[in-house]
Amino acid sequence: GYSIFWFLVSFGLIIISIFDNIVISLSKYLGLETPVNLIFLISIISISFIIIKLMEEISRLKIQVKNLTQELAIKKHIDDKNK
């Protein structure tokens, strides 16, 4: 799942720490007051992405639980009728 994402985040942080002029230049280009604001912005966007993906997974699992519950109830009903 998210191991590739965390690897990319770690790699990005290493690159940012080595080449800090990238963050400074990019934050100036975007019109941000300080470079740390760019890091906060990227963090917020990344966390929002993770939350959206987790919400999709929760929705999928809720549907799966509902379907399995209905299937089990039908099987129990059929077993009870056959007794």
Side-chain angles (χ1 to χ4, degrees), residues 3 6 11 13 16 19 21-22 25 40 46 61 65 70 81:
S3 59
W6 290 116
F11 183 72
L13 289 174
I16 286 172
F19 304 107
N21 56 350
I22 295 173
S25 300
F40 284 140
S46 299
L61 289 172
V65 166
Q70 290 173 346
K81 272 187 154 181

PDB file of all heavy atoms in Angstrom, residues 3 6 11 13 16 19 21-22 25 40 46 61 65 70 81:
ATOM      1  N   SER A   3       3.837   1.886   1.330  1.00  0.00           N
ATOM      2  CA  SER A   3       5.290   1.834   1.519  1.00  0.00           C
ATOM      3  C   SER A   3       6.022   2.639   0.445  1.00  0.00           C
ATOM      4  O   SER A   3       7.017   3.307   0.742  1.00  0.00           O
ATOM      5  CB  SER A   3       5.778   0.393   1.544  1.00  0.00           C
ATOM      6  OG  SER A   3       5.441  -0.269   0.337  1.00  0.00           O
ATOM      7  N   TRP A   6       5.707   6.339   1.413  1.00  0.00           N
ATOM      8  CA  TRP A   6       6.600   6.738   2.494  1.00  0.00           C
ATOM      9  C   TRP A   6       8.058   6.737   2.045  1.00  0.00           C
ATOM     10  O   TRP A   6       8.857   7.559   2.493  1.00  0.00           O
ATOM     11  CB  TRP A   6       6.407   5.847   3.721  1.00  0.00           C
ATOM     12  CG  TRP A   6       5.093   6.115   4.381  1.00  0.00           C
ATOM     13  CD1 TRP A   6       4.059   5.252   4.515  1.00  0.00           C
ATOM     14  CD2 TRP A   6       4.654   7.352   4.967  1.00  0.00           C
ATOM     15  NE1 TRP A   6       3.010   5.872   5.149  1.00  0.00           N
ATOM     16  CE2 TRP A   6       3.349   7.158   5.436  1.00  0.00           C
ATOM     17  CE3 TRP A   6       5.241   8.600   5.134  1.00  0.00           C
ATOM     18  CZ2 TRP A   6       2.630   8.161   6.068  1.00  0.00           C
ATOM     19  CZ3 TRP A   6       4.509   9.599   5.762  1.00  0.00           C
ATOM     20  CH2 TRP A   6       3.231   9.379   6.221  1.00  0.00           C
ATOM     21  N   PHE A  11      12.722   9.994   0.639  1.00  0.00           N
ATOM     22  CA  PHE A  11      13.679  10.395  -0.384  1.00  0.00           C
ATOM     23  C   PHE A  11      13.576  11.901  -0.652  1.00  0.00           C
ATOM     24  O   PHE A  11      14.596  12.592  -0.763  1.00  0.00           O
ATOM     25  CB  PHE A  11      13.426   9.603  -1.673  1.00  0.00           C
ATOM     26  CG  PHE A  11      14.408   9.907  -2.761  1.00  0.00           C
ATOM     27  CD1 PHE A  11      15.714   9.459  -2.678  1.00  0.00           C
ATOM     28  CD2 PHE A  11      14.019  10.653  -3.867  1.00  0.00           C
ATOM     29  CE1 PHE A  11      16.625   9.745  -3.683  1.00  0.00           C
ATOM     30  CE2 PHE A  11      14.919  10.943  -4.870  1.00  0.00           C
ATOM     31  CZ  PHE A  11      16.225  10.484  -4.785  1.00  0.00           C
ATOM     32  N   LEU A  13      12.552  14.219   1.431  1.00  0.00           N
ATOM     33  CA  LEU A  13      13.104  14.950   2.576  1.00  0.00           C
ATOM     34  C   LEU A  13      14.633  14.953   2.566  1.00  0.00           C
ATOM     35  O   LEU A  13      15.254  15.954   2.932  1.00  0.00           O
ATOM     36  CB  LEU A  13      12.574  14.359   3.879  1.00  0.00           C
ATOM     37  CG  LEU A  13      11.101  14.629   4.168  1.00  0.00           C
ATOM     38  CD1 LEU A  13      10.644  13.868   5.410  1.00  0.00           C
ATOM     39  CD2 LEU A  13      10.850  16.117   4.333  1.00  0.00           C
ATOM     40  N   ILE A  16      15.598  17.464  -0.080  1.00  0.00           N
ATOM     41  CA  ILE A  16      15.359  18.829   0.409  1.00  0.00           C
ATOM     42  C   ILE A  16      16.430  19.235   1.416  1.00  0.00           C
ATOM     43  O   ILE A  16      16.890  20.376   1.421  1.00  0.00           O
ATOM     44  CB  ILE A  16      13.943  18.933   1.020  1.00  0.00           C
ATOM     45  CG1 ILE A  16      12.900  18.930  -0.089  1.00  0.00           C
ATOM     46  CG2 ILE A  16      13.797  20.179   1.871  1.00  0.00           C
ATOM     47  CD1 ILE A  16      11.477  18.836   0.411  1.00  0.00           C
ATOM     48  N   PHE A  19      19.743  19.758  -0.738  1.00  0.00           N
ATOM     49  CA  PHE A  19      19.646  20.895  -1.663  1.00  0.00           C
ATOM     50  C   PHE A  19      18.563  21.862  -1.193  1.00  0.00           C
ATOM     51  O   PHE A  19      17.491  21.948  -1.804  1.00  0.00           O
ATOM     52  CB  PHE A  19      19.335  20.407  -3.080  1.00  0.00           C
ATOM     53  CG  PHE A  19      20.317  19.411  -3.604  1.00  0.00           C
ATOM     54  CD1 PHE A  19      19.985  18.067  -3.715  1.00  0.00           C
ATOM     55  CD2 PHE A  19      21.587  19.818  -3.983  1.00  0.00           C
ATOM     56  CE1 PHE A  19      20.897  17.149  -4.208  1.00  0.00           C
ATOM     57  CE2 PHE A  19      22.502  18.898  -4.477  1.00  0.00           C
ATOM     58  CZ  PHE A  19      22.161  17.564  -4.587  1.00  0.00           C
ATOM     59  N   ASN A  21      18.375  24.933  -1.408  1.00  0.00           N
ATOM     60  CA  ASN A  21      18.107  26.055  -2.313  1.00  0.00           C
ATOM     61  C   ASN A  21      16.915  25.768  -3.229  1.00  0.00           C
ATOM     62  O   ASN A  21      16.271  26.684  -3.720  1.00  0.00           O
ATOM     63  CB  ASN A  21      19.349  26.400  -3.142  1.00  0.00           C
ATOM     64  CG  ASN A  21      19.884  25.227  -3.927  1.00  0.00           C
ATOM     65  OD1 ASN A  21      19.451  24.095  -3.725  1.00  0.00           O
ATOM     66  ND2 ASN A  21      20.826  25.494  -4.807  1.00  0.00           N
ATOM     67  N   ILE A  22      16.586  24.469  -3.432  1.00  0.00           N
ATOM     68  CA  ILE A  22      15.402  24.110  -4.226  1.00  0.00           C
ATOM     69  C   ILE A  22      14.144  24.620  -3.537  1.00  0.00           C
ATOM     70  O   ILE A  22      13.275  25.228  -4.167  1.00  0.00           O
ATOM     71  CB  ILE A  22      15.322  22.584  -4.436  1.00  0.00           C
ATOM     72  CG1 ILE A  22      16.489  22.103  -5.285  1.00  0.00           C
ATOM     73  CG2 ILE A  22      13.996  22.190  -5.073  1.00  0.00           C
ATOM     74  CD1 ILE A  22      16.582  20.595  -5.390  1.00  0.00           C
ATOM     75  N   SER A  25      14.057  28.517  -3.629  1.00  0.00           N
ATOM     76  CA  SER A  25      13.700  29.020  -4.958  1.00  0.00           C
ATOM     77  C   SER A  25      12.234  28.754  -5.275  1.00  0.00           C
ATOM     78  O   SER A  25      11.530  29.631  -5.789  1.00  0.00           O
ATOM     79  CB  SER A  25      14.572  28.359  -6.023  1.00  0.00           C
ATOM     80  OG  SER A  25      15.916  28.631  -5.808  1.00  0.00           O
ATOM     81  N   PHE A  40       5.072  22.988   4.753  1.00  0.00           N
ATOM     82  CA  PHE A  40       3.751  22.791   5.362  1.00  0.00           C
ATOM     83  C   PHE A  40       2.691  22.543   4.293  1.00  0.00           C
ATOM     84  O   PHE A  40       1.827  21.677   4.447  1.00  0.00           O
ATOM     85  CB  PHE A  40       3.355  23.984   6.222  1.00  0.00           C
ATOM     86  CG  PHE A  40       4.062  24.044   7.545  1.00  0.00           C
ATOM     87  CD1 PHE A  40       4.510  25.259   8.047  1.00  0.00           C
ATOM     88  CD2 PHE A  40       4.266  22.916   8.297  1.00  0.00           C
ATOM     89  CE1 PHE A  40       5.163  25.321   9.263  1.00  0.00           C
ATOM     90  CE2 PHE A  40       4.914  22.965   9.524  1.00  0.00           C
ATOM     91  CZ  PHE A  40       5.365  24.181   9.999  1.00  0.00           C
ATOM     92  N   SER A  46      -0.212  16.211   1.041  1.00  0.00           N
ATOM     93  CA  SER A  46       0.083  14.778   1.159  1.00  0.00           C
ATOM     94  C   SER A  46      -0.839  14.099   2.160  1.00  0.00           C
ATOM     95  O   SER A  46      -1.366  13.010   1.894  1.00  0.00           O
ATOM     96  CB  SER A  46       1.539  14.568   1.584  1.00  0.00           C
ATOM     97  OG  SER A  46       2.413  15.094   0.633  1.00  0.00           O
ATOM     98  N   LEU A  61     -14.577  -1.360   2.315  1.00  0.00           N
ATOM     99  CA  LEU A  61     -14.686  -2.393   3.342  1.00  0.00           C
ATOM    100  C   LEU A  61     -16.077  -2.425   3.974  1.00  0.00           C
ATOM    101  O   LEU A  61     -16.585  -3.500   4.317  1.00  0.00           O
ATOM    102  CB  LEU A  61     -13.614  -2.185   4.411  1.00  0.00           C
ATOM    103  CG  LEU A  61     -12.185  -2.494   3.969  1.00  0.00           C
ATOM    104  CD1 LEU A  61     -11.190  -2.070   5.039  1.00  0.00           C
ATOM    105  CD2 LEU A  61     -12.018  -3.954   3.620  1.00  0.00           C
ATOM    106  N   VAL A  65     -18.374  -5.717   4.140  1.00  0.00           N
ATOM    107  CA  VAL A  65     -18.948  -6.239   5.385  1.00  0.00           C
ATOM    108  C   VAL A  65     -20.459  -6.393   5.245  1.00  0.00           C
ATOM    109  O   VAL A  65     -21.032  -7.405   5.664  1.00  0.00           O
ATOM    110  CB  VAL A  65     -18.579  -5.336   6.582  1.00  0.00           C
ATOM    111  CG1 VAL A  65     -19.421  -5.659   7.797  1.00  0.00           C
ATOM    112  CG2 VAL A  65     -17.107  -5.467   6.914  1.00  0.00           C
ATOM    113  N   GLN A  70     -25.087  -9.991   4.747  1.00  0.00           N
ATOM    114  CA  GLN A  70     -26.310 -10.414   4.063  1.00  0.00           C
ATOM    115  C   GLN A  70     -26.191 -11.849   3.565  1.00  0.00           C
ATOM    116  O   GLN A  70     -27.138 -12.637   3.688  1.00  0.00           O
ATOM    117  CB  GLN A  70     -26.612  -9.466   2.897  1.00  0.00           C
ATOM    118  CG  GLN A  70     -27.043  -8.093   3.338  1.00  0.00           C
ATOM    119  CD  GLN A  70     -27.179  -7.125   2.178  1.00  0.00           C
ATOM    120  OE1 GLN A  70     -26.723  -7.377   1.069  1.00  0.00           O
ATOM    121  NE2 GLN A  70     -27.822  -5.990   2.439  1.00  0.00           N
ATOM    122  N   LYS A  81     -34.376 -23.421   7.392  1.00  0.00           N
ATOM    123  CA  LYS A  81     -35.526 -23.959   6.656  1.00  0.00           C
ATOM    124  C   LYS A  81     -35.355 -25.449   6.381  1.00  0.00           C
ATOM    125  O   LYS A  81     -36.341 -26.201   6.358  1.00  0.00           O
ATOM    126  CB  LYS A  81     -35.706 -23.226   5.329  1.00  0.00           C
ATOM    127  CG  LYS A  81     -36.552 -22.014   5.406  1.00  0.00           C
ATOM    128  CD  LYS A  81     -36.793 -21.494   4.004  1.00  0.00           C
ATOM    129  CE  LYS A  81     -38.091 -20.728   3.965  1.00  0.00           C
ATOM    130  NZ  LYS A  81     -38.383 -20.230   2.632  1.00  0.00           N
TER     131      LYS A  81
END
